C-alpha cells in the first residue's frame, strides 16, 4: 500500500493508505492515522463534518504531489466508539489521474460487473 500524507495548511496532521474508493465519483478514503499535530484540529473534525474548508486540508501522494480535488474531510468518530475511529475522504480527484494513483480501486470496481 502507498502511504499518503494529510496536511492542515502547511502542518502535517496524519497519514492514510486511502485503501478504499469509488472510481466513478473520483473518491478515495481510508483510515486516518493522526500525528501529534492533529490534536490542534481534532475538535473541529469531531464536531464539524459538513464544512472543513477553514482547516485547509490537503493530501499528498507518496511522491509529494498534492492531489487536486474538490475537497478533503476528516471524519472523527472516536468519541462515539470504544477505539480510535477516524476516516479521511478525498472527494472529486482530478489530478494526478485517479486511475494512476488507485489502479487497484479501478480493478475492484470493474470486477463487480464481470
Amino acid at each position: 500500500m502507498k502511504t499518503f500524507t494529510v496536511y492542515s495548511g502547511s502542518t502535517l496532521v496524519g497519514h492514510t493508505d486511502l485503501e478504499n474508493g469509488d472510481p466513478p465519483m473520483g473518491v478515495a478514503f481510508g483510515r486516518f492515522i493522526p500525528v501529534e499535530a492533529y490534536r490542534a484540529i481534532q475538535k473541529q473534525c469531531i464536531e464539524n463534518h459538513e464544512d472543513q474548508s477553514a482547516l485547509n486540508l490537503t493530501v499528498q501522494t507518496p511522491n509529494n504531489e498534492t492531489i487536486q480535488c474538490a475537497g478533503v474531510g476528516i471524519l472523527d468518530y472516536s468519541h462515539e466508539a470504544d477505539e480510535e475511529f477516524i476516516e479521511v475522504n478525498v472527494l472529486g480527484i482530478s489530478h494526478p489521474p485517479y486511475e494512476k494513483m488507485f489502479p487497484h480501486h479501478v480493478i475492484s470496481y470493474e470486477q463487480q460487473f464481470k
Side-chain angles (χ1 to χ4, degrees):
M1 275 285 173
K2 300 177 190 177
T3 300
F4 298 82
T5 51
V6 182
Y7 290 84
S8 177
S10 61
T11 303
L12 175 68
V13 293
H15 305 275
T16 182
D17 291 335
L18 295 175
E19 63 272 14
N20 300 299
D22 184 342
M25 298 296 290
V27 173
F29 58 97
R31 180 174 172 230
F32 177 74
I33 299 127
V35 298
E36 187 64 31
Y38 173 68
R39 291 180 194 252
I41 65 168
Q42 184 173 19
K43 183 177 181 197
Q44 294 162 293
C45 295
I46 290 171
E47 295 176 354
N48 180 8
H49 293 177
E50 299 299 317
D51 181 6
Q52 296 179 348
S53 58
L55 299 176
N56 193 26
L57 297 170
T58 58
V59 176
Q60 289 189 357
T61 69
N63 297 330
N64 299 318
E65 291 179 80
T66 298
I67 298 175
Q68 301 301 310
C69 63
V72 177
I74 298 173
L75 309 178
D76 190 329
Y77 297 103
S78 298
H79 64 289
E80 298 175 16
D82 292 335
E83 60 186 273
E84 188 173 78
F85 182 76
I86 312 171
E87 181 178 274
V88 63
N89 296 286
V90 184
L91 311 170
I93 295 170
S94 59
H95 187 78
Y98 189 95
E99 49 280 340
K100 177 182 172 191
M101 285 186 291
F102 307 107
H104 54 290
H105 294 181
V106 174
I107 290 168
S108 293
Y109 177 79
E110 290 172 348
Q111 291 297 318
Q112 297 178 77
F113 304 105
K114 291 186 178 182

